[in-house]
Structure formats: structure tokens, C-alpha cells
Amino acid sequence: MNTVTLTDGILRVEPRGLDNPWSFTRRLEIPLAHVRGATFDPGANAEPKGFRRPGLHLPGKWAGTFSRGGALSFWNVSTPGRTVVVELTGERYQRLFLSVAEPRPLVDAINAAVPR
């Protein structure tokens, strides 16, 4: 699970508990100007992830960096049906796949905060 906050023009993602070492990521900070938008995608877990580099993959759990077709994605998903996908531009990762406690309110908050 992740803690996601929006403050001072920054989208901050913090993997919680063991997700922190499993994802090799303490925190991601993305300027909102680099966020294209967010969607609630309960079926995202079925998407091909590509090569793990570095990260963890266990049945039903993905954490860390994955590469597919030359594009990097950050995954920290452990709760099927609660996945939020954040589309980025101008960042190391093209997409973030995140399990969160309340996906729909987070998607609404991100999309409302993204500059148009």
C-alpha cells in the first residue's frame, strides 16, 4: 500500500511498511506539472509488466521498477481492485501503478490538481 499526498505542487508517493524495501523506493516526488492525469484501473494488475529492474514480483504483488518496450513504470500493487494509474511526462517513469486505500477520491484529487 502507498501513502499519496498532494502538497505545494508536488505529488508525493511513499510506499508503506515492507513495500518500502521491496520497491527499493523510499519516496517519489513528482511535480504536478509532470502529471498528465490519473485513472482508477482495477484491471491494471493483469497488464504485462515487462522486466523487473529492481523490484519484487510474487503472486499478486509487484513492487519496484519494471521496464517494458523501453518505458519504465513504477509498481507498488498488492491489492487487486484498488489500483490507481498515474500517467507522467518528463520523468524517469512513464506510469505509476499504486494500490491505495481509497482509489476514486485520490484519482479525483490528482486530476483536479493537475494544471491544464
Side-chain angles (χ1 to χ4, degrees):
M1 200 66 77
N2 301 279
T3 299
V4 180
T5 56
L6 298 162
T7 55
D8 300 327
I10 300 288
L11 171 73
R12 191 169 287 112
V13 177
E14 296 176 82
R16 297 190 319 214
L18 287 174
D19 289 346
N20 185 313
W22 287 343
S23 68
F24 293 89
T25 303
R26 230 172 121 194
R27 175 183 305 138
L28 294 172
E29 293 186 339
I30 312 289
L32 284 174
H34 294 181
V35 176
R36 295 174 53 206
T39 56
F40 172 45
D41 189 349
N45 299 357
E47 279 193 26
K49 282 108 188 125
F51 296 103
R52 182 172 29 117
R53 49 177 277 202
L56 170 79
H57 175 218
L58 297 171
K61 175 68 182 169
W62 299 271
T65 300
F66 290 78
S67 173
R68 181 170 177 248
L72 294 179
S73 298
F74 178 78
W75 285 77
N76 192 18
V77 172
S78 55
T79 309
R82 292 187 177 209
T83 303
V84 170
V85 181
V86 181
E87 300 280 341
L88 305 175
T89 185
E91 290 290 327
R92 176 177 184 228
Y93 298 111
Q94 288 190 340
R95 296 195 294 173
L96 310 176
F97 295 84
L98 309 168
S99 286
V100 296
E102 299 290 336
R104 288 191 191 280
L106 176 62
V107 166
D108 292 343
I110 291 172
N111 289 331
V114 170
R116 302 278 173 208

